[in-house]
Amino acid sequence: MGDTMSSDTPHPVTRRQFASCTAAAAAGFLLTACGPRRLREVPKARLRSMLDDLEREYSKTYGKAVTVSDTPAADGVVFAYALDISRCIGCRRCVYACVDENNQSRDPQVHWIRVLSMDKERGIDFAHADAYYDAKEVPQDGHFYVPVACQQCRNPPCTKVCPVGATWAEKDGIVVIDYDWCIGCRCCMAACPYGARHFNWSDAGIPNEQVNPAMHYLGNRPRPRGVVEKCTFCIQRVRKGRYPACVEACPVGARKFGNLLDPESEIRYIIEHKRVLVLKEELNTMPKFFYFYGT
Amino acid sequence: MRRVPFVLVFIAGALASGYGAAGVRPPQEERRPAQAAPGARIQVPPPPFSDGIFPCSECHNKDMPPNRTRRELTDMHVDIVLKHDETHRWCLDCHDADNRDQLHLASGEGVPFSESYRLCGQCHGEKYRDWRAGVHGRRVGQWNGQKEYLLCAHCHNPHEPRFRALEPKPAPRRPSRSTGVRSH
Ligand code: SF4
Ligand code: SF4
């Protein structure tokens, strides 16, 4: 695994990490045994009143009407994503659309999408990928681009290692994090083979006028310092039927999204008609994020 | 025994519908996304005309009889560079000489600019099929409902369709010690 996919994920598990993960597990056990409840266990009415409190708090902080939705997963829906590697030109429009939509910290900078530039001659090769390419114009000769964010694994290593159960896969397949329950131990970051999880080193520095007020409690509400965050397929949008922000932002239409269970969806059309691959297939994470060649 | 008749009915049904083996799915070609039914109109934003150029009949009216000779334009539209199979075609292969406010197919059938995809689809059949299925090109709207497709011409200049290079957005900042994020 190359450094570009995990530049904020120290990969070899060190003794110290192991120790802190173990300590975290112990703390988690105590919390679970006698602490407050996790959001996913809170009864619906209670959750709504908690979110009403949050709405009031955020509205006051950001000086605008903020809504915090609790739209649950719909029946018969499992979300999946597909990205056309033969179209992506590496323009990073998706990266910044994501930052704006999902209230990612501007300073220090958090990007859920990382666009990797790769050599056409080498093919997909993370050891030689570059996320920091700088160019006057893209695509650059001899390169192609592979944007990487959370792959929404069906067999997610990240949720298994969480000592407190603060991250899990929802019924519609979105892997989410309870920001109130996360203890910031970062075990999940070490476990994710895609470098998809990011840690908040400080409170999100977002100018009030840039805050997106349409929030979901498991998605883009501002994360406090000390918790982990990642792509949620724009849970606040897709649970309301909309496309994720990156799908609409991509100028070349490389990004496709839909319901894996719907045989009429774009996603199914791609899986059935195109050459499709997933990243690091050999790890058996079973991503629901597919890459394909449209041409 | 209730099961036997059911199995028989199933096999008979499978045979009747033309598939010998039980449990065969229809071939993929037949399973098109519903919104892509052939001939169905597709919701698109207005075509991307240059400012003040449409309707074409403002200038191309009866005082300007069509000159159907293939030639290099020198008086008007000189800014248009034709780099789209230009050895074989020119303006009137796509623009309609009799009704200047529309295009026409190879068959001569007129096509409004808002349905120009039908014209493009004559040559680019595979792309057209993918576009209708929502797989080539851009869409906005609902993943499970109303969507708006962009026309081919919104992204590709029809006279010079190769996609233009873009300036990328800034590279991410490299992680550093001071932000606490390890770089390696
Ligand atoms: S990509 Fe990483 S964060 Fe996302 S589900 Fe898979 S292991 Fe978890
Ligand atoms: S916006 Fe589209 S073309 Fe640009 S980097 Fe993202 S996926 Fe690639």
Coordinates of all heavy atoms in Angstrom, one line a residue, chain B residues 51-111:
Chain B
D51 N -24.8 34.0 -27.3 CA -25.7 35.1 -27.0 C -26.2 35.6 -28.3 O -25.5 35.9 -29.3 CB -25.0 36.2 -26.3 CG -25.2 36.0 -24.8 OD1 -26.0 35.1 -24.4 OD2 -24.4 36.6 -24.0
G52 N -27.5 35.9 -28.4 CA -28.2 36.6 -29.5 C -28.1 35.9 -30.8 O -28.4 36.5 -31.9
I53 N -27.8 34.6 -30.9 CA -27.7 33.9 -32.1 C -29.0 33.2 -32.6 O -29.2 32.9 -33.7 CB -26.5 32.9 -32.1 CG1 -26.1 32.6 -33.6 CG2 -26.9 31.6 -31.5 CD1 -24.6 32.7 -33.7
F54 N -29.9 32.9 -31.6 CA -31.1 32.2 -31.9 C -32.3 33.2 -31.7 O -32.3 34.0 -30.8 CB -31.2 31.0 -30.9 CG -32.3 30.0 -31.3 CD1 -32.0 29.1 -32.3 CD2 -33.5 30.0 -30.7 CE1 -33.0 28.2 -32.7 CE2 -34.5 29.1 -31.1 CZ -34.2 28.2 -32.1
P55 N -33.4 33.1 -32.5 CA -33.6 32.2 -33.6 C -32.7 32.6 -34.8 O -32.6 33.7 -35.2 CB -35.1 32.3 -33.9 CG -35.4 33.7 -33.3 CD -34.5 33.9 -32.2
C56 N -32.3 31.6 -35.5 CA -31.4 31.7 -36.7 C -32.2 32.5 -37.8 O -31.6 33.2 -38.6 CB -30.9 30.4 -37.2 SG -30.3 29.4 -35.9
S57 N -33.5 32.3 -37.8 CA -34.4 32.9 -38.8 C -34.4 34.4 -38.8 O -35.0 35.0 -39.6 CB -35.8 32.2 -38.8 OG -36.3 32.4 -37.5
E58 N -33.9 34.9 -37.7 CA -33.9 36.4 -37.6 C -33.0 36.9 -38.8 O -33.4 38.0 -39.4 CB -33.2 36.9 -36.3 CG -33.9 36.6 -35.1 CD -34.6 37.8 -34.5 OE1 -33.9 38.7 -34.1 OE2 -35.9 37.8 -34.5
C59 N -32.0 36.3 -39.1 CA -31.1 36.7 -40.2 C -31.4 35.8 -41.5 O -31.6 36.3 -42.6 CB -29.7 36.6 -39.9 SG -29.2 37.6 -38.5
H60 N -31.5 34.5 -41.2 CA -31.8 33.6 -42.3 C -33.2 33.6 -42.6 O -34.0 32.6 -42.4 CB -31.3 32.2 -42.0 CG -29.8 32.0 -41.9 ND1 -29.0 31.8 -42.9 CD2 -29.0 32.0 -40.8 CE1 -27.7 31.7 -42.5 NE2 -27.7 31.8 -41.2
N61 N -33.7 34.7 -43.2 CA -35.2 34.8 -43.5 C -35.3 34.7 -45.0 O -34.3 34.5 -45.7 CB -35.8 36.0 -42.9 CG -35.0 37.3 -43.2 OD1 -34.3 37.3 -44.3 ND2 -35.0 38.2 -42.3
K62 N -36.5 35.1 -45.5 CA -36.7 34.9 -47.0 C -35.8 35.9 -47.8 O -35.6 35.7 -49.0 CB -38.1 35.0 -47.4 CG -38.9 36.3 -46.9 CD -40.3 36.1 -47.2 CE -41.2 37.3 -46.7 NZ -40.7 38.0 -45.5
D63 N -35.3 36.9 -47.2 CA -34.4 37.8 -47.9 C -33.0 37.2 -48.2 O -32.1 37.8 -48.8 CB -34.2 39.1 -47.2 CG -35.5 39.8 -46.9 OD1 -36.4 39.6 -47.7 OD2 -35.7 40.5 -45.9
M64 N -32.8 36.0 -47.5 CA -31.4 35.4 -47.7 C -31.6 34.0 -48.1 O -31.7 33.1 -47.3 CB -30.7 35.4 -46.3 CG -29.2 35.1 -46.4 SD -28.5 34.8 -44.9 CE -28.3 36.4 -44.1
P65 N -31.8 33.8 -49.4 CA -32.0 32.4 -49.9 C -30.9 31.5 -49.6 O -29.7 32.0 -49.6 CB -32.2 32.6 -51.4 CG -31.7 33.9 -51.7 CD -31.7 34.7 -50.5
P66 N -31.1 30.2 -49.2 CA -30.0 29.3 -48.8 C -29.1 29.1 -50.0 O -29.5 28.9 -51.1 CB -30.7 28.1 -48.4 CG -32.1 28.2 -48.8 CD -32.5 29.6 -49.1
N67 N -27.8 29.1 -49.7 CA -26.8 28.8 -50.7 C -26.3 27.4 -50.3 O -25.6 27.3 -49.3 CB -25.7 29.9 -50.6 CG -24.5 29.5 -51.5 OD1 -24.4 28.4 -52.1 ND2 -23.5 30.4 -51.6
R68 N -26.6 26.4 -51.1 CA -26.3 25.0 -50.6 C -25.0 24.6 -51.1 O -24.6 23.4 -50.9 CB -27.4 24.1 -51.2 CG -28.8 24.3 -50.5 CD -29.8 23.5 -51.2 NE -31.2 24.0 -50.9 CZ -31.9 23.5 -49.9 NH1 -31.5 22.5 -49.2 NH2 -33.1 24.0 -49.6
T69 N -24.2 25.4 -51.7 CA -22.8 25.0 -52.1 C -21.9 24.9 -50.9 O -21.8 25.9 -50.1 CB -22.2 26.0 -53.1 OG1 -23.3 26.6 -53.8 CG2 -21.3 25.4 -54.0
R70 N -21.2 23.8 -50.8 CA -20.3 23.7 -49.7 C -19.1 24.6 -49.9 O -18.5 24.7 -51.0 CB -19.8 22.2 -49.8 CG -18.9 21.9 -48.6 CD -18.3 20.5 -48.8 NE -17.3 20.4 -47.8 CZ -17.2 19.5 -46.9 NH1 -18.1 18.6 -46.8 NH2 -16.2 19.5 -46.1
R71 N -18.8 25.5 -48.9 CA -17.8 26.5 -49.1 C -17.2 26.9 -47.8 O -17.8 26.6 -46.7 CB -18.4 27.7 -49.9 CG -19.4 28.4 -49.0 CD -20.3 29.3 -49.9 NE -21.2 30.1 -49.0 CZ -22.4 29.6 -48.6 NH1 -22.7 28.3 -48.8 NH2 -23.1 30.3 -47.8
E72 N -16.2 27.6 -47.8 CA -15.6 28.2 -46.6 C -16.4 29.5 -46.3 O -16.6 30.3 -47.2 CB -14.1 28.5 -46.8 CG -13.5 29.1 -45.6 CD -12.1 28.5 -45.3 OE1 -11.7 27.6 -46.1 OE2 -11.5 28.9 -44.4
L73 N -16.9 29.7 -45.0 CA -17.7 30.9 -44.7 C -16.7 32.0 -44.5 O -15.7 31.9 -43.8 CB -18.5 30.6 -43.5 CG -19.5 29.4 -43.6 CD1 -20.4 29.4 -42.3 CD2 -20.4 29.6 -44.8
T74 N -17.0 33.2 -45.1 CA -16.1 34.3 -44.9 C -16.8 35.5 -44.3 O -16.2 36.4 -43.7 CB -15.5 34.7 -46.3 OG1 -16.6 34.8 -47.2 CG2 -14.5 33.7 -46.8
D75 N -18.2 35.6 -44.5 CA -18.8 36.8 -44.0 C -19.3 36.7 -42.6 O -19.2 37.6 -41.8 CB -20.1 37.1 -44.9 CG -19.7 37.3 -46.3 OD1 -18.5 37.7 -46.5 OD2 -20.5 37.1 -47.2
M76 N -19.9 35.5 -42.3 CA -20.4 35.3 -40.9 C -19.9 34.0 -40.4 O -19.4 33.2 -41.1 CB -22.0 35.3 -41.0 CG -22.7 36.6 -40.7 SD -22.2 37.3 -39.2 CE -23.3 36.6 -38.0
H77 N -20.1 33.8 -39.1 CA -19.8 32.5 -38.4 C -18.3 32.1 -38.7 O -18.0 30.9 -38.7 CB -20.7 31.4 -38.9 CG -22.2 31.7 -38.8 ND1 -22.7 32.1 -37.6 CD2 -23.2 31.6 -39.7 CE1 -24.0 32.2 -37.8 NE2 -24.3 32.0 -39.0
V78 N -17.5 33.1 -38.8 CA -16.1 32.8 -39.1 C -15.4 32.3 -37.9 O -14.3 31.7 -37.9 CB -15.3 34.0 -39.7 CG1 -15.7 34.3 -41.1 CG2 -15.6 35.2 -38.8
D79 N -16.0 32.5 -36.7 CA -15.4 32.0 -35.5 C -15.6 30.5 -35.3 O -15.0 29.9 -34.4 CB -16.0 32.8 -34.3 CG -17.6 32.8 -34.3 OD1 -18.1 32.8 -35.4 OD2 -18.2 32.6 -33.2
I80 N -16.5 30.0 -36.1 CA -16.8 28.5 -35.9 C -15.7 27.7 -36.6 O -15.4 27.9 -37.8 CB -18.1 28.1 -36.5 CG1 -19.2 28.8 -35.7 CG2 -18.3 26.6 -36.5 CD1 -20.6 28.5 -36.2
V81 N -15.0 26.9 -35.8 CA -14.0 26.0 -36.4 C -14.6 24.6 -36.5 O -15.1 24.1 -35.5 CB -12.8 25.9 -35.4 CG1 -11.7 25.0 -36.0 CG2 -12.3 27.3 -35.1
L82 N -14.7 24.1 -37.6 CA -15.3 22.8 -37.8 C -14.2 21.7 -37.7 O -13.4 21.5 -38.6 CB -16.1 22.7 -39.1 CG -16.9 21.4 -39.2 CD1 -18.0 21.4 -38.1 CD2 -17.6 21.3 -40.5
K83 N -14.2 21.0 -36.6 CA -13.3 19.9 -36.4 C -14.1 18.7 -35.9 O -14.0 18.2 -34.8 CB -12.3 20.2 -35.3 CG -11.0 20.9 -35.8 CD -9.9 20.6 -34.8 CE -8.8 21.7 -35.0 NZ -8.1 22.0 -33.8
H84 N -14.9 18.2 -36.8 CA -15.8 17.2 -36.5 C -16.2 16.4 -37.8 O -17.2 16.7 -38.4 CB -17.1 17.8 -35.9 CG -18.0 16.8 -35.2 ND1 -19.2 17.1 -34.6 CD2 -18.0 15.4 -35.2 CE1 -19.8 16.0 -34.1 NE2 -19.1 15.0 -34.5
D85 N -15.3 15.5 -38.1 CA -15.4 14.8 -39.4 C -15.6 15.8 -40.6 O -16.4 15.7 -41.4 CB -16.5 13.8 -39.4 CG -16.4 12.8 -40.6 OD1 -15.3 12.7 -41.1 OD2 -17.4 12.2 -40.9
E86 N -14.7 16.9 -40.5 CA -15.0 18.0 -41.5 C -14.7 17.6 -42.9 O -15.2 18.3 -43.8 CB -14.1 19.2 -41.1 CG -12.6 19.0 -41.1 CD -12.1 18.3 -39.8 OE1 -12.9 17.8 -39.0 OE2 -10.9 18.1 -39.7
T87 N -14.0 16.5 -43.2 CA -13.7 16.1 -44.6 C -15.0 15.7 -45.2 O -15.2 15.7 -46.4 CB -12.7 15.0 -44.7 OG1 -12.9 14.1 -43.6 CG2 -11.3 15.6 -44.7
H88 N -15.9 15.2 -44.4 CA -17.2 14.6 -44.9 C -18.4 15.5 -44.7 O -19.5 15.1 -45.2 CB -17.4 13.2 -44.3 CG -16.3 12.3 -44.6 ND1 -15.4 11.8 -43.7 CD2 -16.0 11.7 -45.8 CE1 -14.6 11.0 -44.2 NE2 -14.9 10.9 -45.5
R89 N -18.3 16.5 -43.9 CA -19.6 17.2 -43.7 C -19.4 18.7 -43.5 O -18.2 19.2 -43.3 CB -20.2 16.7 -42.4 CG -19.5 17.1 -41.1 CD -20.1 16.4 -39.9 NE -19.8 15.0 -40.0 CZ -20.8 14.1 -40.1 NH1 -22.1 14.5 -40.0 NH2 -20.5 12.8 -40.2
W90 N -20.4 19.4 -43.6 CA -20.4 20.8 -43.4 C -21.8 21.3 -42.8 O -22.6 20.4 -42.6 CB -19.9 21.6 -44.6 CG -21.0 21.9 -45.6 CD1 -21.6 20.9 -46.3 CD2 -21.5 23.1 -46.0 NE1 -22.6 21.5 -47.2 CE2 -22.5 22.9 -47.0 CE3 -21.3 24.5 -45.7 CZ2 -23.2 23.9 -47.6 CZ3 -22.0 25.5 -46.3 CH2 -23.0 25.2 -47.3
C91 N -22.0 22.6 -42.7 CA -23.2 23.1 -42.0 C -24.5 22.4 -42.2 O -25.2 21.9 -41.3 CB -23.4 24.6 -42.3 SG -21.8 25.5 -42.4
L92 N -24.8 22.3 -43.5 CA -26.2 21.9 -43.9 C -26.4 20.3 -43.7 O -27.5 19.9 -44.0 CB -26.6 22.3 -45.3 CG -26.6 23.9 -45.4 CD1 -27.1 24.3 -46.8 CD2 -27.6 24.5 -44.3
D93 N -25.3 19.6 -43.4 CA -25.5 18.2 -43.0 C -26.3 18.1 -41.7 O -26.9 17.0 -41.5 CB -24.2 17.5 -43.0 CG -23.6 17.4 -44.4 OD1 -24.4 17.1 -45.3 OD2 -22.4 17.5 -44.5
C94 N -26.2 19.0 -40.9 CA -26.9 19.0 -39.6 C -27.9 20.1 -39.5 O -29.0 19.9 -39.0 CB -25.9 19.1 -38.4 SG -24.7 17.8 -38.4
H95 N -27.6 21.3 -39.9 CA -28.6 22.4 -39.8 C -29.5 22.3 -41.0 O -29.1 22.0 -42.1 CB -27.8 23.8 -39.9 CG -27.0 24.0 -38.7 ND1 -27.5 24.7 -37.5 CD2 -25.7 23.7 -38.4 CE1 -26.5 24.7 -36.6 NE2 -25.4 24.1 -37.1
D96 N -30.8 22.7 -40.8 CA -31.8 22.5 -41.8 C -31.8 23.8 -42.7 O -32.0 24.9 -42.1 CB -33.1 22.2 -41.1 CG -34.1 21.6 -42.1 OD1 -34.0 20.5 -42.4 OD2 -35.0 22.4 -42.5
A97 N -31.7 23.7 -44.0 CA -31.8 24.8 -44.8 C -33.2 25.4 -45.0 O -33.3 26.6 -45.3 CB -31.1 24.5 -46.2
D98 N -34.2 24.6 -44.8 CA -35.5 25.0 -45.1 C -36.2 25.6 -43.8 O -36.9 26.6 -43.9 CB -36.4 23.9 -45.6 CG -35.8 23.3 -46.9 OD1 -35.4 24.1 -47.7 OD2 -35.8 22.0 -47.0
N99 N -35.8 25.1 -42.7 CA -36.2 25.7 -41.4 C -35.0 26.0 -40.6 O -34.5 25.0 -40.0 CB -37.2 24.8 -40.7 CG -37.6 25.4 -39.4 OD1 -37.1 26.4 -38.9 ND2 -38.6 24.7 -38.7
R100 N -34.5 27.2 -40.6 CA -33.2 27.5 -40.0 C -33.2 27.3 -38.5 O -32.2 27.2 -37.9 CB -32.7 28.9 -40.4 CG -32.7 29.2 -41.9 CD -31.9 28.2 -42.7 NE -30.5 28.1 -42.4 CZ -29.6 28.2 -43.3 NH1 -29.9 28.4 -44.6 NH2 -28.3 28.1 -43.0
D101 N -34.4 27.3 -37.9 CA -34.4 27.2 -36.5 C -34.4 25.8 -35.9 O -34.7 25.5 -34.8 CB -35.6 27.9 -35.9 CG -35.5 29.4 -36.2 OD1 -34.4 29.9 -36.3 OD2 -36.6 30.0 -36.4
Q102 N -34.1 24.8 -36.8 CA -34.0 23.5 -36.4 C -32.8 22.7 -37.1 O -32.2 23.3 -38.0 CB -35.3 22.7 -36.5 CG -35.7 22.6 -38.0 CD -36.9 21.7 -38.2 OE1 -37.7 21.5 -37.2 NE2 -37.1 21.2 -39.4
L103 N -32.6 21.5 -36.6 CA -31.6 20.6 -37.2 C -32.4 19.6 -38.0 O -33.6 19.5 -38.0 CB -30.8 20.0 -36.1 CG -30.1 20.9 -35.2 CD1 -29.7 20.2 -33.9 CD2 -28.9 21.5 -35.9
H104 N -31.6 18.7 -38.7 CA -32.3 17.6 -39.4 C -31.5 16.3 -39.3 O -30.3 16.4 -39.3 CB -32.7 18.0 -40.8 CG -31.6 18.1 -41.7 ND1 -30.9 17.0 -42.3 CD2 -30.9 19.2 -42.2 CE1 -29.9 17.4 -43.1 NE2 -29.9 18.8 -43.0
L105 N -32.2 15.2 -39.3 CA -31.5 13.9 -39.3 C -31.1 13.6 -40.7 O -31.4 14.3 -41.7 CB -32.5 12.8 -38.8 CG -33.1 13.0 -37.4 CD1 -34.0 11.9 -37.1 CD2 -32.0 13.2 -36.4
A106 N -30.4 12.5 -40.8 CA -29.9 12.0 -42.2 C -31.1 11.7 -43.0 O -31.1 11.9 -44.3 CB -29.1 10.8 -42.0
S107 N -32.2 11.3 -42.4 CA -33.4 11.0 -43.2 C -34.1 12.3 -43.7 O -35.1 12.2 -44.5 CB -34.4 10.3 -42.3 OG -34.8 11.1 -41.2
G108 N -33.7 13.5 -43.2 CA -34.4 14.7 -43.6 C -35.4 15.2 -42.5 O -35.8 16.3 -42.5
E109 N -35.7 14.3 -41.6 CA -36.7 14.6 -40.5 C -36.1 15.8 -39.7 O -35.0 15.7 -39.2 CB -37.0 13.4 -39.7 CG -38.0 13.7 -38.6 CD -38.0 12.5 -37.5 OE1 -37.6 11.4 -37.9 OE2 -38.4 12.8 -36.4
G110 N -36.9 16.8 -39.5 CA -36.5 17.9 -38.7 C -36.4 17.6 -37.2 O -37.2 16.7 -36.7
V111 N -35.5 18.2 -36.5 CA -35.3 18.0 -35.1 C -35.0 19.3 -34.4 O -34.1 20.0 -34.8 CB -34.0 17.1 -34.9 CG1 -33.7 16.9 -33.4 CG2 -34.2 15.7 -35.5

